mmCIF file with all atom_site columns, all heavy atoms in Angstrom:
data_model
loop_
_atom_site.group_PDB
_atom_site.id
_atom_site.type_symbol
_atom_site.label_atom_id
_atom_site.label_alt_id
_atom_site.label_comp_id
_atom_site.label_asym_id
_atom_site.label_entity_id
_atom_site.label_seq_id
_atom_site.pdbx_PDB_ins_code
_atom_site.Cartn_x
_atom_site.Cartn_y
_atom_site.Cartn_z
_atom_site.occupancy
_atom_site.B_iso_or_equiv
_atom_site.pdbx_formal_charge
_atom_site.auth_seq_id
_atom_site.auth_comp_id
_atom_site.auth_asym_id
_atom_site.auth_atom_id
_atom_site.pdbx_PDB_model_num
ATOM 1   N N   . ALA Y 1 1  ? -12.871 -12.126 6.485  1.00 0.00 ? 1  ALA Y N   1
ATOM 2   C CA  . ALA Y 1 1  ? -13.439 -13.151 7.309  1.00 0.00 ? 1  ALA Y CA  1
ATOM 3   C C   . ALA Y 1 1  ? -14.129 -12.641 8.479  1.00 0.00 ? 1  ALA Y C   1
ATOM 4   O O   . ALA Y 1 1  ? -14.830 -13.357 9.346  1.00 0.00 ? 1  ALA Y O   1
ATOM 5   C CB  . ALA Y 1 1  ? -12.389 -14.239 7.660  1.00 0.00 ? 1  ALA Y CB  1
ATOM 6   N N   . LEU Y 1 2  ? -14.059 -11.299 8.818  1.00 0.00 ? 2  LEU Y N   1
ATOM 7   C CA  . LEU Y 1 2  ? -14.649 -10.702 9.994  1.00 0.00 ? 2  LEU Y CA  1
ATOM 8   C C   . LEU Y 1 2  ? -16.206 -10.849 10.061 1.00 0.00 ? 2  LEU Y C   1
ATOM 9   O O   . LEU Y 1 2  ? -16.707 -11.027 11.168 1.00 0.00 ? 2  LEU Y O   1
ATOM 10  C CB  . LEU Y 1 2  ? -14.300 -9.356  10.111 1.00 0.00 ? 2  LEU Y CB  1
ATOM 11  C CG  . LEU Y 1 2  ? -12.813 -8.991  10.424 1.00 0.00 ? 2  LEU Y CG  1
ATOM 12  C CD1 . LEU Y 1 2  ? -12.485 -7.555  10.491 1.00 0.00 ? 2  LEU Y CD1 1
ATOM 13  C CD2 . LEU Y 1 2  ? -12.510 -9.639  11.925 1.00 0.00 ? 2  LEU Y CD2 1
ATOM 14  N N   . PRO Y 1 3  ? -16.992 -10.604 9.103  1.00 0.00 ? 3  PRO Y N   1
ATOM 15  C CA  . PRO Y 1 3  ? -16.774 -10.298 7.767  1.00 0.00 ? 3  PRO Y CA  1
ATOM 16  C C   . PRO Y 1 3  ? -16.854 -8.762  7.553  1.00 0.00 ? 3  PRO Y C   1
ATOM 17  O O   . PRO Y 1 3  ? -17.714 -8.083  7.979  1.00 0.00 ? 3  PRO Y O   1
ATOM 18  C CB  . PRO Y 1 3  ? -17.947 -11.007 7.009  1.00 0.00 ? 3  PRO Y CB  1
ATOM 19  C CG  . PRO Y 1 3  ? -19.034 -10.978 8.047  1.00 0.00 ? 3  PRO Y CG  1
ATOM 20  C CD  . PRO Y 1 3  ? -18.316 -11.024 9.407  1.00 0.00 ? 3  PRO Y CD  1
ATOM 21  N N   . ALA Y 1 4  ? -15.962 -8.252  6.768  1.00 0.00 ? 4  ALA Y N   1
ATOM 22  C CA  . ALA Y 1 4  ? -15.940 -6.960  6.251  1.00 0.00 ? 4  ALA Y CA  1
ATOM 23  C C   . ALA Y 1 4  ? -15.856 -6.960  4.694  1.00 0.00 ? 4  ALA Y C   1
ATOM 24  O O   . ALA Y 1 4  ? -15.271 -7.920  4.216  1.00 0.00 ? 4  ALA Y O   1
ATOM 25  C CB  . ALA Y 1 4  ? -14.772 -6.128  6.831  1.00 0.00 ? 4  ALA Y CB  1
ATOM 26  N N   . ARG Y 1 5  ? -16.510 -6.057  4.073  1.00 0.00 ? 5  ARG Y N   1
ATOM 27  C CA  . ARG Y 1 5  ? -16.263 -5.915  2.632  1.00 0.00 ? 5  ARG Y CA  1
ATOM 28  C C   . ARG Y 1 5  ? -14.993 -5.221  2.438  1.00 0.00 ? 5  ARG Y C   1
ATOM 29  O O   . ARG Y 1 5  ? -14.759 -4.148  3.041  1.00 0.00 ? 5  ARG Y O   1
ATOM 30  C CB  . ARG Y 1 5  ? -17.391 -5.188  2.055  1.00 0.00 ? 5  ARG Y CB  1
ATOM 31  C CG  . ARG Y 1 5  ? -17.361 -5.144  0.429  1.00 0.00 ? 5  ARG Y CG  1
ATOM 32  C CD  . ARG Y 1 5  ? -18.490 -4.498  -0.074 1.00 0.00 ? 5  ARG Y CD  1
ATOM 33  N NE  . ARG Y 1 5  ? -19.660 -5.207  0.078  1.00 0.00 ? 5  ARG Y NE  1
ATOM 34  C CZ  . ARG Y 1 5  ? -20.969 -4.734  -0.034 1.00 0.00 ? 5  ARG Y CZ  1
ATOM 35  N NH1 . ARG Y 1 5  ? -21.148 -3.523  -0.349 1.00 0.00 ? 5  ARG Y NH1 1
ATOM 36  N NH2 . ARG Y 1 5  ? -21.940 -5.520  0.197  1.00 0.00 ? 5  ARG Y NH2 1
ATOM 37  N N   . VAL Y 1 6  ? -14.124 -5.704  1.533  1.00 0.00 ? 6  VAL Y N   1
ATOM 38  C CA  . VAL Y 1 6  ? -12.785 -5.201  1.329  1.00 0.00 ? 6  VAL Y CA  1
ATOM 39  C C   . VAL Y 1 6  ? -12.670 -4.876  -0.121 1.00 0.00 ? 6  VAL Y C   1
ATOM 40  O O   . VAL Y 1 6  ? -12.801 -5.818  -0.933 1.00 0.00 ? 6  VAL Y O   1
ATOM 41  C CB  . VAL Y 1 6  ? -11.665 -6.041  1.793  1.00 0.00 ? 6  VAL Y CB  1
ATOM 42  C CG1 . VAL Y 1 6  ? -10.303 -5.487  1.450  1.00 0.00 ? 6  VAL Y CG1 1
ATOM 43  C CG2 . VAL Y 1 6  ? -11.813 -6.366  3.319  1.00 0.00 ? 6  VAL Y CG2 1
ATOM 44  N N   . THR Y 1 7  ? -12.365 -3.666  -0.436 1.00 0.00 ? 7  THR Y N   1
ATOM 45  C CA  . THR Y 1 7  ? -12.017 -3.280  -1.904 1.00 0.00 ? 7  THR Y CA  1
ATOM 46  C C   . THR Y 1 7  ? -10.601 -2.726  -1.714 1.00 0.00 ? 7  THR Y C   1
ATOM 47  O O   . THR Y 1 7  ? -10.381 -1.738  -1.025 1.00 0.00 ? 7  THR Y O   1
ATOM 48  C CB  . THR Y 1 7  ? -12.960 -2.220  -2.431 1.00 0.00 ? 7  THR Y CB  1
ATOM 49  O OG1 . THR Y 1 7  ? -14.271 -2.710  -2.210 1.00 0.00 ? 7  THR Y OG1 1
ATOM 50  C CG2 . THR Y 1 7  ? -12.633 -2.001  -3.884 1.00 0.00 ? 7  THR Y CG2 1
ATOM 51  N N   . ALA Y 1 8  ? -9.663  -3.231  -2.473 1.00 0.00 ? 8  ALA Y N   1
ATOM 52  C CA  . ALA Y 1 8  ? -8.324  -2.841  -2.457 1.00 0.00 ? 8  ALA Y CA  1
ATOM 53  C C   . ALA Y 1 8  ? -7.722  -2.679  -3.787 1.00 0.00 ? 8  ALA Y C   1
ATOM 54  O O   . ALA Y 1 8  ? -8.102  -3.356  -4.769 1.00 0.00 ? 8  ALA Y O   1
ATOM 55  C CB  . ALA Y 1 8  ? -7.454  -3.834  -1.626 1.00 0.00 ? 8  ALA Y CB  1
ATOM 56  N N   . SER Y 1 9  ? -6.829  -1.695  -3.963 1.00 0.00 ? 9  SER Y N   1
ATOM 57  C CA  . SER Y 1 9  ? -6.246  -1.350  -5.315 1.00 0.00 ? 9  SER Y CA  1
ATOM 58  C C   . SER Y 1 9  ? -5.117  -2.371  -5.640 1.00 0.00 ? 9  SER Y C   1
ATOM 59  O O   . SER Y 1 9  ? -4.589  -2.265  -6.727 1.00 0.00 ? 9  SER Y O   1
ATOM 60  C CB  . SER Y 1 9  ? -5.720  0.068   -5.432 1.00 0.00 ? 9  SER Y CB  1
ATOM 61  O OG  . SER Y 1 9  ? -4.672  0.249   -4.469 1.00 0.00 ? 9  SER Y OG  1
ATOM 62  N N   . ALA Y 1 10 ? -4.875  -3.278  -4.795 1.00 0.00 ? 10 ALA Y N   1
ATOM 63  C CA  . ALA Y 1 10 ? -3.849  -4.353  -5.087 1.00 0.00 ? 10 ALA Y CA  1
ATOM 64  C C   . ALA Y 1 10 ? -4.268  -5.538  -4.232 1.00 0.00 ? 10 ALA Y C   1
ATOM 65  O O   . ALA Y 1 10 ? -4.900  -5.435  -3.203 1.00 0.00 ? 10 ALA Y O   1
ATOM 66  C CB  . ALA Y 1 10 ? -2.371  -3.865  -4.703 1.00 0.00 ? 10 ALA Y CB  1
ATOM 67  N N   . PRO Y 1 11 ? -3.787  -6.781  -4.610 1.00 0.00 ? 11 PRO Y N   1
ATOM 68  C CA  . PRO Y 1 11 ? -4.203  -8.005  -3.839 1.00 0.00 ? 11 PRO Y CA  1
ATOM 69  C C   . PRO Y 1 11 ? -3.443  -8.148  -2.558 1.00 0.00 ? 11 PRO Y C   1
ATOM 70  O O   . PRO Y 1 11 ? -3.905  -8.942  -1.702 1.00 0.00 ? 11 PRO Y O   1
ATOM 71  C CB  . PRO Y 1 11 ? -3.834  -9.117  -4.809 1.00 0.00 ? 11 PRO Y CB  1
ATOM 72  C CG  . PRO Y 1 11 ? -2.726  -8.564  -5.810 1.00 0.00 ? 11 PRO Y CG  1
ATOM 73  C CD  . PRO Y 1 11 ? -3.040  -7.079  -5.797 1.00 0.00 ? 11 PRO Y CD  1
ATOM 74  N N   . ARG Y 1 12 ? -2.390  -7.426  -2.339 1.00 0.00 ? 12 ARG Y N   1
ATOM 75  C CA  . ARG Y 1 12 ? -1.563  -7.583  -1.185 1.00 0.00 ? 12 ARG Y CA  1
ATOM 76  C C   . ARG Y 1 12 ? -1.243  -6.152  -0.572 1.00 0.00 ? 12 ARG Y C   1
ATOM 77  O O   . ARG Y 1 12 ? -1.120  -5.227  -1.274 1.00 0.00 ? 12 ARG Y O   1
ATOM 78  C CB  . ARG Y 1 12 ? -0.320  -8.292  -1.513 1.00 0.00 ? 12 ARG Y CB  1
ATOM 79  C CG  . ARG Y 1 12 ? 0.383   -9.069  -0.350 1.00 0.00 ? 12 ARG Y CG  1
ATOM 80  C CD  . ARG Y 1 12 ? 1.387   -10.090 -0.913 1.00 0.00 ? 12 ARG Y CD  1
ATOM 81  N NE  . ARG Y 1 12 ? 2.014   -10.716 0.083  1.00 0.00 ? 12 ARG Y NE  1
ATOM 82  C CZ  . ARG Y 1 12 ? 1.622   -11.904 0.765  1.00 0.00 ? 12 ARG Y CZ  1
ATOM 83  N NH1 . ARG Y 1 12 ? 0.449   -12.387 0.398  1.00 0.00 ? 12 ARG Y NH1 1
ATOM 84  N NH2 . ARG Y 1 12 ? 2.281   -12.380 1.767  1.00 0.00 ? 12 ARG Y NH2 1
ATOM 85  N N   . ALA Y 1 13 ? -1.120  -6.105  0.763  1.00 0.00 ? 13 ALA Y N   1
ATOM 86  C CA  . ALA Y 1 13 ? -0.894  -4.814  1.432  1.00 0.00 ? 13 ALA Y CA  1
ATOM 87  C C   . ALA Y 1 13 ? 0.501   -4.435  1.201  1.00 0.00 ? 13 ALA Y C   1
ATOM 88  O O   . ALA Y 1 13 ? 1.418   -5.084  1.555  1.00 0.00 ? 13 ALA Y O   1
ATOM 89  C CB  . ALA Y 1 13 ? -1.131  -4.949  2.836  1.00 0.00 ? 13 ALA Y CB  1
ATOM 90  N N   . VAL Y 1 14 ? 0.646   -3.280  0.490  1.00 0.00 ? 14 VAL Y N   1
ATOM 91  C CA  . VAL Y 1 14 ? 1.989   -2.626  0.335  1.00 0.00 ? 14 VAL Y CA  1
ATOM 92  C C   . VAL Y 1 14 ? 1.727   -1.085  0.489  1.00 0.00 ? 14 VAL Y C   1
ATOM 93  O O   . VAL Y 1 14 ? 0.595   -0.629  0.221  1.00 0.00 ? 14 VAL Y O   1
ATOM 94  C CB  . VAL Y 1 14 ? 2.678   -2.918  -1.027 1.00 0.00 ? 14 VAL Y CB  1
ATOM 95  C CG1 . VAL Y 1 14 ? 3.089   -4.341  -1.117 1.00 0.00 ? 14 VAL Y CG1 1
ATOM 96  C CG2 . VAL Y 1 14 ? 1.877   -2.467  -2.155 1.00 0.00 ? 14 VAL Y CG2 1
ATOM 97  N N   . ALA Y 1 15 ? 2.730   -0.340  0.811  1.00 0.00 ? 15 ALA Y N   1
ATOM 98  C CA  . ALA Y 1 15 ? 2.604   1.051   1.003  1.00 0.00 ? 15 ALA Y CA  1
ATOM 99  C C   . ALA Y 1 15 ? 1.940   1.720   -0.303 1.00 0.00 ? 15 ALA Y C   1
ATOM 100 O O   . ALA Y 1 15 ? 2.371   1.424   -1.401 1.00 0.00 ? 15 ALA Y O   1
ATOM 101 C CB  . ALA Y 1 15 ? 3.891   1.720   1.359  1.00 0.00 ? 15 ALA Y CB  1
ATOM 102 N N   . GLY Y 1 16 ? 0.870   2.611   0.039  1.00 0.00 ? 16 GLY Y N   1
ATOM 103 C CA  . GLY Y 1 16 ? 0.238   3.274   -1.128 1.00 0.00 ? 16 GLY Y CA  1
ATOM 104 C C   . GLY Y 1 16 ? -1.014  2.593   -1.563 1.00 0.00 ? 16 GLY Y C   1
ATOM 105 O O   . GLY Y 1 16 ? -1.856  3.256   -2.260 1.00 0.00 ? 16 GLY Y O   1
ATOM 106 N N   . VAL Y 1 17 ? -1.208  1.280   -1.221 1.00 0.00 ? 17 VAL Y N   1
ATOM 107 C CA  . VAL Y 1 17 ? -2.534  0.629   -1.646 1.00 0.00 ? 17 VAL Y CA  1
ATOM 108 C C   . VAL Y 1 17 ? -3.707  1.387   -0.995 1.00 0.00 ? 17 VAL Y C   1
ATOM 109 O O   . VAL Y 1 17 ? -3.720  1.636   0.268  1.00 0.00 ? 17 VAL Y O   1
ATOM 110 C CB  . VAL Y 1 17 ? -2.510  -0.888  -1.276 1.00 0.00 ? 17 VAL Y CB  1
ATOM 111 C CG1 . VAL Y 1 17 ? -3.850  -1.541  -1.457 1.00 0.00 ? 17 VAL Y CG1 1
ATOM 112 C CG2 . VAL Y 1 17 ? -1.413  -1.559  -2.137 1.00 0.00 ? 17 VAL Y CG2 1
ATOM 113 N N   . VAL Y 1 18 ? -4.735  1.622   -1.726 1.00 0.00 ? 18 VAL Y N   1
ATOM 114 C CA  . VAL Y 1 18 ? -5.953  2.221   -1.276 1.00 0.00 ? 18 VAL Y CA  1
ATOM 115 C C   . VAL Y 1 18 ? -6.897  1.057   -0.923 1.00 0.00 ? 18 VAL Y C   1
ATOM 116 O O   . VAL Y 1 18 ? -7.102  0.095   -1.714 1.00 0.00 ? 18 VAL Y O   1
ATOM 117 C CB  . VAL Y 1 18 ? -6.596  3.186   -2.280 1.00 0.00 ? 18 VAL Y CB  1
ATOM 118 C CG1 . VAL Y 1 18 ? -7.948  3.688   -1.825 1.00 0.00 ? 18 VAL Y CG1 1
ATOM 119 C CG2 . VAL Y 1 18 ? -5.675  4.336   -2.603 1.00 0.00 ? 18 VAL Y CG2 1
ATOM 120 N N   . VAL Y 1 19 ? -7.458  1.128   0.314  1.00 0.00 ? 19 VAL Y N   1
ATOM 121 C CA  . VAL Y 1 19 ? -8.365  0.082   0.720  1.00 0.00 ? 19 VAL Y CA  1
ATOM 122 C C   . VAL Y 1 19 ? -9.616  0.764   1.306  1.00 0.00 ? 19 VAL Y C   1
ATOM 123 O O   . VAL Y 1 19 ? -9.544  1.789   1.968  1.00 0.00 ? 19 VAL Y O   1
ATOM 124 C CB  . VAL Y 1 19 ? -7.665  -0.657  1.948  1.00 0.00 ? 19 VAL Y CB  1
ATOM 125 C CG1 . VAL Y 1 19 ? -8.520  -1.739  2.469  1.00 0.00 ? 19 VAL Y CG1 1
ATOM 126 C CG2 . VAL Y 1 19 ? -6.317  -1.280  1.489  1.00 0.00 ? 19 VAL Y CG2 1
ATOM 127 N N   . GLU Y 1 20 ? -10.699 0.164   0.944  1.00 0.00 ? 20 GLU Y N   1
ATOM 128 C CA  . GLU Y 1 20 ? -11.981 0.608   1.559  1.00 0.00 ? 20 GLU Y CA  1
ATOM 129 C C   . GLU Y 1 20 ? -12.594 -0.612  2.289  1.00 0.00 ? 20 GLU Y C   1
ATOM 130 O O   . GLU Y 1 20 ? -12.828 -1.616  1.701  1.00 0.00 ? 20 GLU Y O   1
ATOM 131 C CB  . GLU Y 1 20 ? -12.997 1.077   0.601  1.00 0.00 ? 20 GLU Y CB  1
ATOM 132 C CG  . GLU Y 1 20 ? -14.231 1.565   1.338  1.00 0.00 ? 20 GLU Y CG  1
ATOM 133 C CD  . GLU Y 1 20 ? -15.195 2.335   0.399  1.00 0.00 ? 20 GLU Y CD  1
ATOM 134 O OE1 . GLU Y 1 20 ? -14.916 3.533   0.032  1.00 0.00 ? 20 GLU Y OE1 1
ATOM 135 O OE2 . GLU Y 1 20 ? -16.200 1.708   -0.013 1.00 0.00 ? 20 GLU Y OE2 1
ATOM 136 N N   . LEU Y 1 21 ? -12.679 -0.434  3.598  1.00 0.00 ? 21 LEU Y N   1
ATOM 137 C CA  . LEU Y 1 21 ? -13.362 -1.539  4.439  1.00 0.00 ? 21 LEU Y CA  1
ATOM 138 C C   . LEU Y 1 21 ? -14.722 -1.028  4.684  1.00 0.00 ? 21 LEU Y C   1
ATOM 139 O O   . LEU Y 1 21 ? -14.955 0.194   4.920  1.00 0.00 ? 21 LEU Y O   1
ATOM 140 C CB  . LEU Y 1 21 ? -12.649 -1.675  5.738  1.00 0.00 ? 21 LEU Y CB  1
ATOM 141 C CG  . LEU Y 1 21 ? -11.121 -2.059  5.609  1.00 0.00 ? 21 LEU Y CG  1
ATOM 142 C CD1 . LEU Y 1 21 ? -10.454 -1.932  6.993  1.00 0.00 ? 21 LEU Y CD1 1
ATOM 143 C CD2 . LEU Y 1 21 ? -11.009 -3.447  5.134  1.00 0.00 ? 21 LEU Y CD2 1
ATOM 144 N N   . SER Y 1 22 ? -15.732 -1.948  4.601  1.00 0.00 ? 22 SER Y N   1
ATOM 145 C CA  . SER Y 1 22 ? -17.123 -1.503  5.062  1.00 0.00 ? 22 SER Y CA  1
ATOM 146 C C   . SER Y 1 22 ? -17.672 -2.619  5.865  1.00 0.00 ? 22 SER Y C   1
ATOM 147 O O   . SER Y 1 22 ? -17.466 -3.808  5.602  1.00 0.00 ? 22 SER Y O   1
ATOM 148 C CB  . SER Y 1 22 ? -17.930 -1.192  3.890  1.00 0.00 ? 22 SER Y CB  1
ATOM 149 O OG  . SER Y 1 22 ? -17.899 -2.145  2.824  1.00 0.00 ? 22 SER Y OG  1
ATOM 150 N N   . LEU Y 1 23 ? -18.387 -2.216  6.828  1.00 0.00 ? 23 LEU Y N   1
ATOM 151 C CA  . LEU Y 1 23 ? -19.078 -3.045  7.818  1.00 0.00 ? 23 LEU Y CA  1
ATOM 152 C C   . LEU Y 1 23 ? -20.505 -2.724  7.963  1.00 0.00 ? 23 LEU Y C   1
ATOM 153 O O   . LEU Y 1 23 ? -20.858 -1.525  7.843  1.00 0.00 ? 23 LEU Y O   1
ATOM 154 C CB  . LEU Y 1 23 ? -18.444 -2.885  9.252  1.00 0.00 ? 23 LEU Y CB  1
ATOM 155 C CG  . LEU Y 1 23 ? -16.954 -3.356  9.314  1.00 0.00 ? 23 LEU Y CG  1
ATOM 156 C CD1 . LEU Y 1 23 ? -16.352 -2.853  10.667 1.00 0.00 ? 23 LEU Y CD1 1
ATOM 157 C CD2 . LEU Y 1 23 ? -16.787 -4.878  9.180  1.00 0.00 ? 23 LEU Y CD2 1
ATOM 158 N N   . GLY Y 1 24 ? -21.362 -3.729  8.229  1.00 0.00 ? 24 GLY Y N   1
ATOM 159 C CA  . GLY Y 1 24 ? -22.709 -3.502  8.518  1.00 0.00 ? 24 GLY Y CA  1
ATOM 160 C C   . GLY Y 1 24 ? -23.531 -3.907  7.291  1.00 0.00 ? 24 GLY Y C   1
ATOM 161 O O   . GLY Y 1 24 ? -23.118 -4.094  6.211  1.00 0.00 ? 24 GLY Y O   1
ATOM 162 N N   . PRO Y 1 25 ? -24.881 -4.174  7.591  1.00 0.00 ? 25 PRO Y N   1
ATOM 163 C CA  . PRO Y 1 25 ? -25.826 -4.604  6.635  1.00 0.00 ? 25 PRO Y CA  1
ATOM 164 C C   . PRO Y 1 25 ? -26.397 -3.528  5.728  1.00 0.00 ? 25 PRO Y C   1
ATOM 165 O O   . PRO Y 1 25 ? -26.745 -2.499  6.254  1.00 0.00 ? 25 PRO Y O   1
ATOM 166 C CB  . PRO Y 1 25 ? -26.872 -5.361  7.441  1.00 0.00 ? 25 PRO Y CB  1
ATOM 167 C CG  . PRO Y 1 25 ? -26.916 -4.522  8.640  1.00 0.00 ? 25 PRO Y CG  1
ATOM 168 C CD  . PRO Y 1 25 ? -25.446 -4.156  8.939  1.00 0.00 ? 25 PRO Y CD  1
ATOM 169 N N   . GLY Y 1 26 ? -26.526 -3.810  4.491  1.00 0.00 ? 26 GLY Y N   1
ATOM 170 C CA  . GLY Y 1 26 ? -27.291 -2.905  3.581  1.00 0.00 ? 26 GLY Y CA  1
ATOM 171 C C   . GLY Y 1 26 ? -27.151 -1.498  3.761  1.00 0.00 ? 26 GLY Y C   1
ATOM 172 O O   . GLY Y 1 26 ? -26.013 -0.910  3.745  1.00 0.00 ? 26 GLY Y O   1
ATOM 173 N N   . PRO Y 1 27 ? -28.269 -0.818  3.957  1.00 0.00 ? 27 PRO Y N   1
ATOM 174 C CA  . PRO Y 1 27 ? -28.248 0.618   4.087  1.00 0.00 ? 27 PRO Y CA  1
ATOM 175 C C   . PRO Y 1 27 ? -27.449 1.222   5.447  1.00 0.00 ? 27 PRO Y C   1
ATOM 176 O O   . PRO Y 1 27 ? -27.153 2.356   5.526  1.00 0.00 ? 27 PRO Y O   1
ATOM 177 C CB  . PRO Y 1 27 ? -29.763 1.097   4.108  1.00 0.00 ? 27 PRO Y CB  1
ATOM 178 C CG  . PRO Y 1 27 ? -30.448 -0.164  4.506  1.00 0.00 ? 27 PRO Y CG  1
ATOM 179 C CD  . PRO Y 1 27 ? -29.604 -1.264  4.009  1.00 0.00 ? 27 PRO Y CD  1
ATOM 180 N N   . LEU Y 1 28 ? -27.238 0.267   6.345  1.00 0.00 ? 28 LEU Y N   1
ATOM 181 C CA  . LEU Y 1 28 ? -26.524 0.604   7.523  1.00 0.00 ? 28 LEU Y CA  1
ATOM 182 C C   . LEU Y 1 28 ? -24.962 0.428   7.389  1.00 0.00 ? 28 LEU Y C   1
ATOM 183 O O   . LEU Y 1 28 ? -24.237 0.758   8.330  1.00 0.00 ? 28 LEU Y O   1
ATOM 184 C CB  . LEU Y 1 28 ? -26.971 -0.229  8.736  1.00 0.00 ? 28 LEU Y CB  1
ATOM 185 C CG  . LEU Y 1 28 ? -28.502 -0.018  9.063  1.00 0.00 ? 28 LEU Y CG  1
ATOM 186 C CD1 . LEU Y 1 28 ? -28.873 -0.961  10.213 1.00 0.00 ? 28 LEU Y CD1 1
ATOM 187 C CD2 . LEU Y 1 28 ? -28.858 1.359   9.323  1.00 0.00 ? 28 LEU Y CD2 1
ATOM 188 N N   . ARG Y 1 29 ? -24.602 0.023   6.236  1.00 0.00 ? 29 ARG Y N   1
ATOM 189 C CA  . ARG Y 1 29 ? -23.120 -0.176  5.943  1.00 0.00 ? 29 ARG Y CA  1
ATOM 190 C C   . ARG Y 1 29 ? -22.389 1.109   6.148  1.00 0.00 ? 29 ARG Y C   1
ATOM 191 O O   . ARG Y 1 29 ? -22.767 2.133   5.518  1.00 0.00 ? 29 ARG Y O   1
ATOM 192 C CB  . ARG Y 1 29 ? -23.017 -0.878  4.538  1.00 0.00 ? 29 ARG Y CB  1
ATOM 193 C CG  . ARG Y 1 29 ? -21.533 -1.178  4.273  1.00 0.00 ? 29 ARG Y CG  1
ATOM 194 C CD  . ARG Y 1 29 ? -21.369 -2.054  2.996  1.00 0.00 ? 29 ARG Y CD  1
ATOM 195 N NE  . ARG Y 1 29 ? -22.093 -3.227  3.059  1.00 0.00 ? 29 ARG Y NE  1
ATOM 196 C CZ  . ARG Y 1 29 ? -21.522 -4.432  3.637  1.00 0.00 ? 29 ARG Y CZ  1
ATOM 197 N NH1 . ARG Y 1 29 ? -20.392 -4.384  4.180  1.00 0.00 ? 29 ARG Y NH1 1
ATOM 198 N NH2 . ARG Y 1 29 ? -22.212 -5.515  3.635  1.00 0.00 ? 29 ARG Y NH2 1
ATOM 199 N N   . VAL Y 1 30 ? -21.264 1.058   6.864  1.00 0.00 ? 30 VAL Y N   1
ATOM 200 C CA  . VAL Y 1 30 ? -20.357 2.211   7.089  1.00 0.00 ? 30 VAL Y CA  1
ATOM 201 C C   . VAL Y 1 30 ? -19.107 1.933   6.310  1.00 0.00 ? 30 VAL Y C   1
ATOM 202 O O   . VAL Y 1 30 ? -18.403 0.865   6.599  1.00 0.00 ? 30 VAL Y O   1
ATOM 203 C CB  . VAL Y 1 30 ? -20.132 2.430   8.465  1.00 0.00 ? 30 VAL Y CB  1
ATOM 204 C CG1 . VAL Y 1 30 ? -19.062 3.505   8.685  1.00 0.00 ? 30 VAL Y CG1 1
ATOM 205 C CG2 . VAL Y 1 30 ? -21.420 2.692   9.283  1.00 0.00 ? 30 VAL Y CG2 1
ATOM 206 N N   . ALA Y 1 31 ? -18.719 2.784   5.393  1.00 0.00 ? 31 ALA Y N   1
ATOM 207 C CA  . ALA Y 1 31 ? -17.524 2.637   4.554  1.00 0.00 ? 31 ALA Y CA  1
ATOM 208 C C   . ALA Y 1 31 ? -16.382 3.362   5.260  1.00 0.00 ? 31 ALA Y C   1
ATOM 209 O O   . ALA Y 1 31 ? -16.589 4.521   5.792  1.00 0.00 ? 31 ALA Y O   1
ATOM 210 C CB  . ALA Y 1 31 ? -17.771 3.226   3.189  1.00 0.00 ? 31 ALA Y CB  1
#
């Protein structure tokens, strides 16, 4: 809702879950 793009290896945060957050528009997006 920030909005950030979130890709996670599980639907809920638990130890070991890999998460990639990315912010910014298009080619300026920072992963």
